[in-house]
Amino acid sequence: MLGHETATVTTGTARTTGRDEVFQVEEHGIDPIPDAERHGSAKDVFWLWFGSNLTFTYVINGALAVAFGLSFWQAAAVVVIGGLAFLAIGAAGLSGVRTGTATLVVSRAAFGRRGNWPAGLLNWIVSIGYTVVNTVVGTLALEAFLADLGWSGGHAPRALSLAVTLALTFAVALWGHATVQFAERWMAYVLAVGFAALVVLVLPGADTSAPAAAPGAQAWSLAFVVVLAGPFSYLPMPADYTRYLPRTTSLKAVTRSAALGGFLSSVALGVAGAAAATQADMTDAVAGAEGLLPGWFQPLFLALVLGGSVTNSIITLYSSSLNLQVLGIPWSRARAIVISAAVTAAGSLGALFLTDFTTSLLSFLSLLIIVFAPWGGVFLADMVLRRCAYDSAGLHADAGGPYWYRSGWHPAGLTALLAGLVFSALTCDSELWTGPLVAPLGGADLTLLGAAVSALVYVLLARGRVAPHRP
């Protein structure tokens, strides 16, 4: 994992010598990883998803489920079901082992070489949005820590906190794959101990009584949307972190390791958030949770929130640089990541200084599923139809090849994506948008079913025309 042989590879439009070593800038981008440079094992995927999901965002999600009207046990059940969605994330990583390239390159098989571009753009925008969410959470935690030290008032503490959070995230993501894997693993060791202590301190005080009124369809559906937004947001990136694994890596082990890693951390923190929401006002989630903790643990808690936001932002920022290459930016991955970092910084500034963060978070998570659910439905359905067997050279062909379809557009994939997007938009209940079918459905938000709609439409249109690649 720490280093291996060099080889001549293609990055962007230039040819260079690339290595994947800790604390050295990775020179590979979306180009296929040669077999000679493949390394690691399935357990690396466990640590990546376990560490990157030790983030306070899941505490907020669990708290929101209770805020919608669910009891502790009902919210905990939603959190557990949401954690099972990491099985899809693990399965999506199989394409990286088979092709040696990024997820959004593999999705060209579903949407076409050119048809993949608009979906890729949407995914980049939403990925940056999620990076902003975690950056803001980390910034608020560091700002609270500075306030405890006696520095509060004005914009200076918040601005410094934002700069530190962004710097920590950018440095690791800039170095690249090996450093990301290394950082996620070692930060997971520390964060796991700290968050385990948080769970132990918060969970015993949970109010497990039933709510005064039974939650309706709206409460249940909104809770599922918020909780599943996290796992669904990862669908465009699993192969980014499996593309270096040897072709001989067990596909079952990759799925199992990724699913277990994401499940353990997201469920533990989501349940802790639900418990906290039954005991305190979690409108300001960091302050609400901090108030439930003994004084000696509060500084450690704020450090945990900061660390968790950084571990999550690292993988989303790293994947966004690969995404930009997919969109055609003729730069190396290391140069492209500067664009994503700049947009993240601008978005974080707006969220911290111009808007109400809690409202913005809820609105963002609600709208997130409109994009990721239908896209994920098409991608996973295509992967199943092809049995995860792709023509790697065809995925990178500028024109022609098996994934060129009609002038670079795959009608089946794009039609299925549009069908899922329309269904999700019609049934979305968000602060920013309420679909016209929400009221007739009794307030239920059925955005998640956009994945099933798009998958079904794709299978109906592509079955018999899409088949596994046979060399």
Side-chain angles (χ1 to χ4, degrees):
M1 178 176 169
L2 296 182
H4 41 83
E5 299 178 6
T6 62
T8 301
V9 297
T10 302
T11 304
T13 58
R15 295 184 68 81
T16 183
T17 298
R19 292 185 298 177
D20 186 40
E21 297 185 354
V22 176
F23 302 130
Q24 292 192 25
V25 176
E26 176 194 8
E27 294 174 331
H28 277 300
I30 61 174
D31 52 294
I33 307 301
D35 288 344
E37 297 189 44
R38 302 283 194 104
H39 62 101
S41 65
K43 66 181 180 181
D44 296 331
V45 183
F46 168 84
W47 289 111
L48 175 91
W49 293 112
F50 179 69
S52 63
N53 285 284
L54 287 170
T55 172
F56 192 72
T57 303
Y58 286 106
V59 175
I60 298 176
N61 293 347
L64 285 173
V66 173
F68 293 142
L70 272 60
S71 69
F72 167 76
W73 289 114
Q74 291 168 337
V78 171
V79 167
V80 170
I81 294 173
L84 293 175
F86 278 97
L87 284 167
I89 304 305
L94 302 181
S95 60
V97 179
R98 292 282 179 86
T99 64
T101 192
T103 305
L104 284 170
V105 174
V106 179
S107 65
R108 289 169 175 170
F111 301 104
R113 185 66 168 80
R114 291 174 174 168
N116 191 59
W117 198 93
L121 178 61
L122 286 174
N123 280 320
W124 179 78
I125 292 172
V126 180
S127 294
I128 289 298
Y130 217 85
T131 307
V132 169
V133 168
N134 282 290
T135 298
V136 169
V137 171
T139 298
L140 294 176
L142 184 53
E143 182 186 25
F145 180 77
L146 294 176
D148 290 343
L149 295 178
W151 187 19
S152 60
H155 294 317
R158 178 167 291 188
L160 176 62
S161 299
L162 175 60
V164 170
T165 304
L166 286 171
L168 291 172
T169 303
F170 177 72
V172 176
L174 176 65
W175 272 316
H177 177 268
T179 309
V180 169
Q181 295 271 24
F182 177 83
E184 293 291 351
R185 182 166 188 157
W186 286 98
M187 291 179 73
Y189 294 154
V190 177
L191 292 174
V193 173
F195 276 119
L198 171 68
V199 173
V200 169
L201 291 170
V202 171
L203 200 57
D207 180 0
T208 59
S209 60
Q218 182 179 31
W220 282 102
S221 61
L222 287 176
F224 273 110
V225 166
V226 168
V227 169
L228 285 166
F232 269 80
S233 71
Y234 296 128
L235 277 172
M237 62 182 73
D240 302 0
Y241 304 101
T242 58
R243 72 194 205 280
Y244 277 93
L245 293 178
R247 294 181 190 273
T248 55
T249 305
S250 167
L251 301 184
K252 289 183 179 179
V254 170
T255 302
R256 184 169 57 246
S257 296
L260 183 61
F263 178 86
L264 289 176
S265 48
S266 65
V267 169
L269 297 184
V271 171
T278 66
Q279 306 170 62
D281 180 5
M282 295 288 284
T283 303
D284 182 340
V286 173
E290 186 181 13
L292 297 174
L293 303 171
W296 63 268
F297 190 76
Q298 290 179 3
L300 296 176
F301 164 70
L302 295 174
L304 289 174
V305 176
L306 173 61
S309 71
V310 170
T311 61
N312 195 266
S313 294
I314 285 171
I315 68 167
T316 54
L317 188 61
Y318 172 80
S319 288
S320 72
S321 64
L322 298 177
N323 196 336
L324 286 174
Q325 287 191 317
V326 174
L327 293 176
I329 299 295
W331 292 355
S332 68
R333 180 206 60 83
R335 290 181 62 191
I337 204 171
V338 175
I339 298 176
S340 294
V343 176
T344 297
S348 300
L349 284 169
L352 286 165
F353 295 101
L354 301 177
T355 65
D356 175 75
F357 178 62
T358 301
T359 301
S360 299
L361 173 64
L362 179 57
S363 300
F364 174 73
L365 292 178
S366 298
L367 290 177
L368 180 81
I369 300 296
I370 293 180
V371 176
F372 279 119
W375 185 92
V378 176
F379 178 77
L380 293 174
D382 181 77
M383 192 175 75
V384 170
L385 290 178
R386 298 181 192 277
R387 299 180 185 176
C388 205
Y390 301 92
D391 181 342
S392 295
L395 290 172
H396 294 272
D398 289 332
Y403 310 123
W404 189 244
Y405 304 110
R406 295 183 182 177
S407 300
W409 304 83
H410 189 197
L414 295 172
T415 300
L417 175 63
L418 180 61
L421 287 171
V422 170
F423 179 88
S424 295
L426 291 174
T427 59
C428 176
D429 184 13
S430 168
E431 291 288 336
L432 298 178
W433 168 258
T434 300
L437 296 183
V438 172
L441 291 170
D445 187 328
L446 302 183
T447 316
L448 290 169
L449 293 181
V453 170
S454 62
L456 178 60
V457 172
Y458 186 76
V459 169
L460 292 175
L461 294 177
R463 190 172 185 177
R465 301 181 181 182
V466 167
H469 171 66
R470 300 187 185 282

